[in-house]
Amino acid sequence: MYLFSVFSPLIGGFFNISPVARLLGHRGSTILAISCMFIAFISSAVIYYEVVFMGCSVSINVAGCWFSVGSFSADWSFNFDLLTANMLFTVTSVGFAVHMYACDYMRQDPHLSLFLGYLSLFTGFMCVLVAADNLLVMLVGYEGIGVCSYLLIGYWSHRLSAVKSAQKAILVNRISDGLLMWGIICVWYYFGSLEYDLLNVYNASAFVGLSILIGAMGKSAQILFHVWLPDSMEGPTPVSALIHAATLVTAGVYLLVRLHIHDELFVIIVGCLTAFMAALFGATQNDLKRVIAFSTCSQLGYMMVSLGLGEIGAEASMGHLMSHASFKAVLFLAAGMVISGNGGNQNITRYGGGAHSSMFTRLTLLIASLSLIGFPELSGFYSKETILNLAAICAHPVADIAHVLLLLTALLTSAYTTKLFYQCFLVDFSGLSVSPVRNKLPTLAMAILLLDILLKVWVGTNLLSGVLFFIPWGVKTLPFGLMFAGIFTATAAVGSERFSLIRFCGNRWGFDQLFSRTPINPILDLGRVSWAVGDRGVFSVNNIDCSR
């Protein structure tokens, strides 16, 4: 039962990308993908019950010794503890809903079986990463989700923008993943083992901790490594929902929590700068999916700040990760319905009024948006308030600065989320005449995730109850007031140029230009030189045919 949660998505993915998929057809591939994800979801629910409520943690050695080098041996082993149970349930619940949505959303695609195979493999490798008992098995899942994200973002290979976005994602993640691999090698050098229970990263060198931090920053799209995240919106909407909700972007946060890398000045600074930067960028975007993508980057900044606040901050970070996975998946799936109803147009300034969307789509987008801005009694309110209150009472030297930046981020988040909803459903700037999209599978998928949002309220309630006692009344109510301030500001400014911030924010602070001019161009120049000197020079002189 335990291993079904890990291997069931992988089995479905391998069958759907193999020649067997031709025999199954689209209908058979759809049934196989949904069935495998349903098995994984039920297995994760059973694991969650046994580990969280019954207190029964389990370790399983799947295939004995993988390989051995001297005194070092690597095992294919999985550990199902409290952290793994929470993450597995989050990943499989969101993955199951996204698979159902994708089967209907992509039903006219001629390569549906291949797409579902990539999607299942992506989810399966994330489950491997989460359940791994050592850093080596974790690295297999870590690299697996990187490769699958490249295949999914560039799935529409006939679009040049999708191909370039996939290349940017894989190259940026190569930098961080390379440093992570060096960090793992150094961990083995210092400790002689890669099992989580035997590691204490703080006792290793500073390079180990920094390399693991940078490895997490790349996957979780923190500042300087965030440039790939908005461009990943070139992939299909189910890909965006799965990447930004519970899989790729949460891998870095999970890794830091698993290795107990908290209480770090560097983590707090990176997190608060990422949150504020992404909120500014989101407020200046008009692309529906990019606005939601920058909100993901901003919420990941909240999680990183919480990680830097100590052990209780790590618990709050995981609580926000779980609640964020649900409402962010709902946001993307509802956004996909809105885009489909408007003829594929993603510019929120060119449609609105809600004429092309069903009432259920409006309701789901409204509830997910309220949870994102932290409206009381929703799961996003409890998890975000916990982080803000921890930052307010923390005695860390930069905690006060982080608290101020997070409050400004909450104001901007409320503003651009209100702007998004207002322009989608309340004002009309277009003359499109496209019929509303009403499909059963996407509706069922969004309903499951809405139920998940409401069920996770009790998780946030338990987190927040132990913190509120120490917080002054004014500090507790300030985020609530800023939320309404953002709503009123966006309502008053929407439809005019007053809401657009400075052009510098619209250009995303020039990070894309910085990456293209500094690391990219020298690498391309080096490639040209090596090709001219090596391929055309040395090999051609020796009459070696390099094409063979």
Side-chain angles (χ1 to χ4, degrees):
M1 176 61 74
Y2 282 82
L3 295 180
F4 282 150
S5 62
V6 177
F7 291 112
S8 181
L10 291 175
I11 293 172
F14 282 122
F15 271 109
N16 274 332
I17 66 173
S18 68
V20 179
R22 295 185 179 182
L23 302 177
L24 296 176
H26 283 186
R27 184 182 295 274
S29 297
T30 299
I31 294 174
L32 176 64
I34 294 181
S35 299
C36 289
M37 281 309 306
F38 180 71
I39 293 172
F41 171 65
I42 294 300
S43 177
S44 299
V46 173
I47 293 171
Y48 187 84
Y49 172 76
E50 292 188 358
V51 174
V52 176
F53 294 103
M54 305 303 293
C56 300
S57 299
V58 176
S59 295
I60 300 176
N61 194 330
V62 178
C65 181
W66 182 10
F67 66 88
S68 61
V69 179
S71 61
F72 172 76
S73 62
D75 298 331
W76 268 106
S77 56
F78 298 101
N79 180 38
F80 300 90
D81 57 3
L82 184 62
L83 184 59
T84 302
N86 281 289
M87 279 296 294
L88 271 180
F89 184 76
T90 301
V91 171
T92 54
S93 60
V94 173
F96 175 54
V98 170
H99 273 70
M100 288 197 301
Y101 182 92
C103 289
D104 189 272
Y105 188 86
M106 302 288 290
R107 65 185 182 279
Q108 296 180 351
D109 189 272
H111 307 291
L112 177 63
S113 301
L114 185 64
F115 178 78
L116 291 177
Y118 291 160
L119 209 62
S120 297
L121 286 176
F122 189 49
T123 310
F125 279 119
M126 186 64 192
C127 293
V128 171
L129 185 153
V130 166
D133 192 31
N134 56 72
L135 283 172
L136 204 58
V137 178
M138 182 279 302
L139 189 63
V140 173
Y142 213 77
E143 297 302 318
I145 60 175
V147 173
C148 291
S149 67
Y150 169 77
L151 297 173
L152 288 170
I153 295 171
Y155 177 73
W156 284 328
S157 56
H158 60 279
R159 296 168 52 180
L160 181 61
S161 58
V163 174
K164 288 187 174 181
S165 298
Q167 291 175 349
K168 178 186 284 189
I170 196 70
L171 288 175
V172 172
N173 280 280
R174 285 306 88 203
I175 299 173
S176 58
D177 290 359
L179 283 171
L180 175 64
M181 187 174 297
W182 277 107
I184 292 175
I185 292 173
C186 291
V187 167
W188 170 73
Y189 174 78
Y190 278 100
F191 300 103
S193 175
L194 295 178
E195 295 184 10
Y196 291 139
D197 295 337
L198 303 178
L199 300 183
N200 187 354
V201 178
Y202 284 110
N203 292 335
S205 66
F207 174 77
V208 175
L210 184 62
S211 60
I212 293 176
L213 279 174
I214 294 177
M217 286 173 60
K219 277 289 190 288
S220 293
Q222 298 301 293
I223 189 169
L224 296 180
F225 293 94
H226 69 279
V227 293
W228 67 270
L229 193 65
D231 292 331
S232 66
M233 296 299 98
E234 295 295 335
T237 298
V239 176
S240 304
L242 198 57
I243 287 178
H244 288 252
T247 51
L248 186 67
V249 296
T250 62
V253 176
Y254 171 80
L255 177 63
L256 295 182
V257 174
R258 173 61 75 183
L259 295 179
H260 304 285
I261 301 179
H262 356 100
D263 197 18
E264 290 281 346
L265 175 65
F266 182 71
V267 177
I268 298 177
I269 294 174
V270 167
C272 65
L273 288 178
T274 302
F276 183 66
M277 173 204 68
L280 280 177
F281 295 168
T284 57
Q285 297 294 312
N286 289 322
D287 187 290
L288 177 57
K289 289 173 67 175
R290 285 178 183 264
V291 173
I292 304 175
F294 278 118
S295 73
T296 299
C297 190
S298 182
Q299 298 306 308
L300 289 167
Y302 274 92
M303 299 175 202
M304 295 293 283
V305 170
S306 182
L307 277 174
L309 299 177
E311 192 69 34
I312 189 172
E315 296 179 7
S317 178
M318 289 303 300
H320 192 51
L321 187 152
M322 293 173 63
S323 63
H324 171 264
S326 298
F327 65 71
K328 188 52 59 70
V330 172
L331 273 173
F332 271 111
L333 299 187
M337 301 296 288
V338 173
I339 293 170
S340 297
N342 287 276
N345 183 18
Q346 296 183 194
N347 193 333
I348 59 177
T349 63
R350 299 187 62 184
Y351 57 81
H356 314 306
S357 302
S358 65
M359 183 57 67
F360 185 77
T361 301
R362 302 183 208 180
L363 178 63
T364 53
L365 192 62
L366 175 62
I367 294 176
S369 299
L370 290 175
S371 188
L372 173 62
I373 66 177
F375 195 81
E377 302 308 320
L378 292 175
S379 60
F381 165 76
Y382 289 105
S383 58
K384 186 184 290 186
E385 284 291 307
T386 304
I387 296 174
L388 289 171
N389 292 329
L390 284 173
I393 64 173
C394 182
H396 205 284
V398 297
D400 292 336
I401 300 175
H403 185 234
V404 171
L405 287 178
L406 291 184
L407 288 175
L408 293 175
T409 301
L411 172 65
L412 290 170
T413 302
S414 178
Y416 68 69
T417 306
T418 304
K419 172 194 172 186
L420 183 149
F421 187 83
Y422 197 84
Q423 289 188 319
C424 281
F425 300 116
L426 300 181
V427 291
D428 195 357
F429 298 110
S430 71
L432 294 176
S433 57
V434 185
S435 60
V437 179
R438 297 184 179 91
N439 296 322
K440 294 181 180 179
L441 273 180
T443 301
L444 179 60
M446 290 188 289
I448 291 174
L449 290 174
L450 281 177
L451 180 62
D452 196 27
I453 291 176
L454 299 177
L455 288 176
K456 286 177 180 174
V457 170
W458 70 273
V459 177
T461 307
N462 295 331
L463 286 172
L464 193 59
S465 60
V467 179
L468 283 178
F469 181 76
F470 304 99
I471 308 297
W473 183 84
V475 177
K476 286 188 292 187
T477 55
L478 184 57
F480 183 72
L482 290 174
M483 179 192 69
F484 279 103
I487 291 175
F488 295 144
T489 302
T491 305
V494 71
S496 68
E497 295 299 325
R498 289 175 290 170
F499 191 81
S500 297
L501 299 178
I502 57 177
R503 187 178 181 84
F504 187 50
C505 293
N507 290 331
R508 293 180 274 181
W509 291 0
F511 278 110
D512 291 326
Q513 293 85 346
L514 178 66
F515 265 84
S516 63
R517 291 176 183 176
T518 48
I520 302 300
N521 285 339
I523 291 174
L524 292 176
D525 293 338
L526 179 62
R528 294 188 190 98
V529 171
S530 63
W531 172 75
V533 176
D535 295 349
R536 292 187 59 188
V538 177
F539 292 112
S540 62
V541 169
N542 293 292
N543 297 320
I544 297 177
D545 189 357
C546 301
S547 63
R548 294 182 179 177

